[in-house]
Amino acid sequence: MSIPVSIRIQHADFDLAQEIATLTAGRTDIGAVVSFSGICRGDGGLAAMTLEHYPGMAEAEIERHAHEACARWPLTGVTVIHRVGRLTPGDNIMMVLAASAHRQAAFQAAEFLMDYLKAHAPFWKREENADGSTWVAAQQHDDAAAARWDKT
Amino acid sequence: MSIPVSIRIQHADFDLAQEIATLTAGRTDIGAVVSFSGICRGDGGLAAMTLEHYPGMAEAEIERHAHEACARWPLTGVTVIHRVGRLTPGDNIMMVLAASAHRQAAFQAAEFLMDYLKAHAPFWKREENADGSTWVAAQQHDDAAAARWDKT
Amino acid sequence: MKLKYFAWVRERIGVAEENLDPPDSVRTVGELIGWLAGRGETYAYAFEKPGVIRAAIDQTHVKPDTLIAGAHEVALFPPMTGG
Amino acid sequence: MKLKYFAWVRERIGVAEENLDPPDSVRTVGELIGWLAGRGETYAYAFEKPGVIRAAIDQTHVKPDTLIAGAHEVALFPPMTGG
């Protein structure tokens, strides 16, 4: 049986509860659902951020990693939604859901997907504040976090 | 500023989306919310499970661990809801929410609280199937998972 | 001293709580379990494997060698299976 | 060959994509970046630190020493900051 994997990149907001309901509807083999929601912070006078992505590649890359997560852990479903466009503090940026019979698999898969998304998915953030706008610099610790999943 | 910690033990179901909304309302310092939902599985012909707890001690123990999580990681809020009573496959059993500026803190705190709840919170599950009902045996791997957070 | 029982310990003994005054020779949680096991068939069944029984004194987890002196409420129960 | 630029690489060059045919002497992604940097002031600015530029060939991440022969679409962009 194939594992439901849903990847969406969209301007619109998402409804986490609806996504969990969709992933679990009619199933009694799911014991654990882990969600991660990334939210736009207002630190340092941030007025807004604009998210750009590489259409086509972004979807394909996330989907490839979602399937890799399904191969690594006994998952029953994965959903990733990443917003693009202009967002203001408090807005949802993205979400990852991982469902499994067991909690460890769901936690590990959600963390794996988040570490991957931060370091390797083709998205770029530009932040606006009172001084103008600047592109967010990549964080070295994000590369390190992603590298811990590399198979040796 | 004290960190919002909400612990509830209840018969009624909960609304994860509402809990996230409560934890994040009016704040722009939260960048990451991790949720864990534990759901009743129907494996092995399970018809229902009944959850018993130690009133008073259960709330106090979970709250103590929630505050320990707040001391260990830079959290902006923690919510734990654990249901008791009779549940059937597909029903929510419990949820943990951890909110932080950063994803690693939110993931770590949610896993810490789950490992603690599995091994040390005073709850007991009895499962019903066609052959009658049996108390769930504790899992040694849950003790091991909880022990990884012990400070040495 | 109030004693509380949970899960199959409660089911085997047949009551959820009771007030008992163990003799002075019963000083630790482990000795309390041994003394209770001698109180009759239902107690013997509940505590047939004393090593698996977990305990709390006044709602805090304790080990078998913890002294019970001064305890208001001692709870005895199987390993926990919440979450 | 279609070239695509994202984020500040796109902003500095001033276009999101263009079709260019580098000479045969340009064989790798790294050499392509070097060749582009010589095409004018905006390109020189975009590629002033070639070591930070990331690349994809036909929507798959590649390293600077990857050969570009046969590529339909080469994308050049800063380190990613999604999630």
Side-chain angles (χ1 to χ4, degrees):
Chain A
M1 194 181 73
S2 76
I3 300 161
V5 168
S6 177
I7 311 297
R8 277 166 280 161
I9 297 172
Q10 61 190 39
H11 278 79
D13 198 5
F14 50 79
D15 179 342
L16 179 65
Q18 181 57 54
E19 298 302 330
I20 293 176
T22 300
L23 205 60
T24 57
R27 300 189 70 142
T28 57
D29 59 340
I30 298 177
V33 178
V34 170
S35 82
F36 177 90
S37 310
I39 301 166
C40 181
R41 296 205 313 271
D43 300 7
L46 182 89
M49 65 163 58
T50 301
L51 267 148
E52 177 173 333
H53 78 301
Y54 185 168
M57 180 174 172
E59 292 86 343
E61 276 278 305
I62 297 173
E63 187 159 345
R64 192 164 63 81
H65 282 78
H67 286 294
E68 186 177 334
C70 292
R72 286 191 179 206
W73 294 284
L75 304 178
T76 55
V78 173
T79 303
V80 179
I81 302 178
H82 205 305
R83 296 179 70 188
V84 290
R86 192 165 183 274
L87 303 172
T88 53
D91 283 352
N92 286 318
I93 301 172
M94 49 80 61
M95 54 154 280
V96 165
L97 282 187
S100 174
H102 303 290
R103 76 183 186 285
Q104 290 92 343
F107 269 119
Q108 292 259 294
E111 284 195 77
F112 165 79
L113 288 167
M114 280 310 304
D115 286 343
Y116 157 71
L117 282 163
K118 284 273 177 188
H120 299 305
F123 292 84
W124 299 271
K125 291 190 184 100
R126 191 172 57 180
E127 294 182 342
E128 297 167 36
N129 58 35
D131 300 328
S133 78
T134 49
W135 291 93
V136 174
Q139 303 277 316
Q140 289 211 328
H141 66 74
D142 284 332
D143 282 339
R148 72 189 162 123
W149 304 101
D150 288 349
K151 287 175 179 167
T152 49
Chain B
M1 194 183 68
S2 75
I3 299 161
V5 168
S6 178
I7 312 297
R8 276 166 280 159
I9 297 173
Q10 61 190 39
H11 279 78
D13 198 7
F14 50 79
D15 179 341
L16 179 66
Q18 181 57 53
E19 298 303 329
I20 294 177
T22 300
L23 205 61
T24 57
R27 300 188 70 143
T28 58
D29 59 341
I30 298 176
V33 178
V34 170
S35 81
F36 177 90
S37 309
I39 301 166
C40 180
R41 296 204 312 271
D43 300 9
L46 182 90
M49 64 163 59
T50 301
L51 267 148
E52 177 173 333
H53 78 302
Y54 185 170
M57 180 174 171
E59 292 86 342
E61 275 279 303
I62 298 173
E63 187 158 345
R64 191 165 63 80
H65 282 78
H67 286 293
E68 185 177 335
C70 292
R72 285 191 180 206
W73 294 283
L75 304 178
T76 55
V78 173
T79 303
V80 178
I81 302 177
H82 205 305
R83 297 179 70 189
V84 290
R86 192 166 183 274
L87 303 172
T88 52
D91 282 351
N92 286 319
I93 301 172
M94 49 81 61
M95 54 153 278
V96 165
L97 281 187
S100 175
H102 303 289
R103 78 184 185 285
Q104 289 93 341
F107 269 119
Q108 293 259 295
E111 284 195 78
F112 165 79
L113 288 167
M114 282 310 305
D115 286 343
Y116 157 70
L117 283 163
K118 284 272 176 188
H120 298 306
F123 291 85
W124 299 271
K125 291 192 184 100
R126 190 172 58 181
E127 294 181 343
E128 298 167 35
N129 58 35
D131 300 327
S133 78
T134 49
W135 290 93
V136 174
Q139 303 278 317
Q140 289 210 329
H141 66 72
D142 285 331
D143 283 340
R148 72 190 163 122
W149 304 100
D150 289 348
K151 286 173 178 168
T152 50
Chain C
M1 176 185 295
K2 180 188 278 185
L3 286 156
K4 289 196 165 203
Y5 310 120
F6 293 97
W8 53 255
V9 173
R10 172 182 55 69
E11 283 188 337
R12 290 180 181 189
I13 294 175
V15 297
E17 60 180 79
E18 60 187 333
N19 286 292
L20 290 177
D21 284 307
D24 290 349
S25 61
V26 172
R27 298 187 312 151
T28 67
V29 168
E31 288 165 4
L32 176 66
I33 292 169
W35 177 72
L36 286 167
R39 296 190 75 241
E41 204 176 318
T42 59
Y43 291 90
Y45 181 36
F47 300 117
E48 66 182 358
K49 289 181 184 167
V52 308
I53 302 295
R54 307 295 177 92
I57 291 183
D58 296 332
Q59 308 197 349
T60 298
H61 290 296
V62 294
K63 306 236 180 239
D65 60 0
T66 305
L67 296 173
I68 60 173
H72 293 285
E73 179 175 301
V74 178
L76 300 169
F77 42 77
M80 290 137 284
T81 55
Chain D
M1 177 185 295
K2 181 188 278 186
L3 286 157
K4 288 195 164 205
Y5 311 119
F6 293 97
W8 53 254
V9 173
R10 172 182 55 71
E11 283 188 338
R12 290 180 182 188
I13 292 174
V15 297
E17 60 180 79
E18 60 188 331
N19 287 293
L20 290 176
D21 285 305
D24 291 346
S25 61
V26 172
R27 298 186 312 150
T28 67
V29 168
E31 288 166 1
L32 176 65
I33 291 170
W35 177 73
L36 286 167
R39 294 191 77 239
E41 205 175 319
T42 59
Y43 291 89
Y45 181 37
F47 300 116
E48 66 182 357
K49 290 180 185 167
V52 307
I53 303 295
R54 307 294 177 93
I57 291 182
D58 296 331
Q59 307 199 348
T60 298
H61 290 296
V62 294
K63 305 233 180 241
D65 60 2
T66 305
L67 297 173
I68 60 173
H72 293 286
E73 179 174 300
V74 178
L76 300 168
F77 42 78
M80 291 139 283
T81 56

